[in-house]
Amino acid sequence: MIAMPHLKNALIVATISAVVSLAHAEEKHKFGKAAMTGEQTYKAVCVTCHGEGLAGAPKAGNRRAWAPLIAEGYNDLVGSALTGVRMMPPKGGAPELYDIEVARAVVYMVSLAGGQFPEPTEANLKAARLDGEKRHAARLKTAAASRR
């Protein structure tokens, strides 16, 4: 058999590439981009308001400001971040974010404030979104009633 080291190296590179692609496949979503971590999402989007506490947003790392929000729980906080609450638009005004990126950013900010939420999973993310949609609908109903 003729030795062909360049083909062997190409096969190794192709195999490694395939393994890496498979490893990242679950992180790819409908737009084909890998989902950001909580810290990356925070730095790309959330820091705009939560970095300095703009528009009443709790400042990242401020334990006192975050304590009552953390006490409300994962579903409420993640659900509110997904659907919008008070001055914060849905997904912090970045509709291109995946739900999991928003949830990871919430978990990251909670950790900065000394809290601990579970990492987002398909199940707890779905529950949080449903909770957020119910709360959002209730807020809209209350706002409409107050205008009558």
Side-chain angles (χ1 to χ4, degrees):
M1 184 176 265
I2 300 172
M4 293 191 257
H6 63 285
L7 289 178
K8 184 178 178 183
N9 289 342
L11 182 59
I12 291 170
V13 169
T15 303
I16 291 171
S17 294
V19 169
V20 169
S21 293
L22 286 174
H24 291 292
E26 80 176 52
E27 288 293 307
K28 298 254 182 180
H29 295 274
K30 61 185 171 195
F31 299 116
K33 71 174 181 101
M36 292 186 285
T37 66
E39 182 177 9
Q40 289 169 330
T41 305
Y42 169 77
K43 288 179 177 178
V45 178
C46 311
V47 72
T48 304
C49 294
H50 290 282
E52 295 300 323
L54 296 179
K59 192 172 177 179
N62 183 328
R63 290 174 185 255
R64 185 183 228 168
W66 281 88
L69 300 173
I70 293 169
E72 291 176 11
Y74 178 91
N75 284 355
D76 181 50
L77 204 52
V78 171
S80 293
L82 291 170
T83 60
V85 64
R86 293 179 289 281
M87 297 293 290
M88 182 179 143
K91 296 185 176 184
E96 72 278 5
L97 291 177
Y98 300 133
D99 285 1
I100 196 161
E101 291 172 314
V102 175
R104 286 175 176 169
V106 169
V107 169
Y108 175 73
M109 289 187 282
V110 163
S111 73
L112 292 177
Q116 186 175 3
F117 277 172
E119 284 301 313
T121 64
E122 189 174 329
N124 68 18
L125 192 52
K126 183 178 180 180
R129 174 163 276 292
L130 289 173
D131 185 74
E133 288 170 355
K134 277 198 275 186
R135 289 174 186 272
H136 184 69
R139 286 190 296 266
L140 290 176
K141 188 175 180 180
T142 300
S146 71
R147 289 187 207 116
R148 290 183 194 164

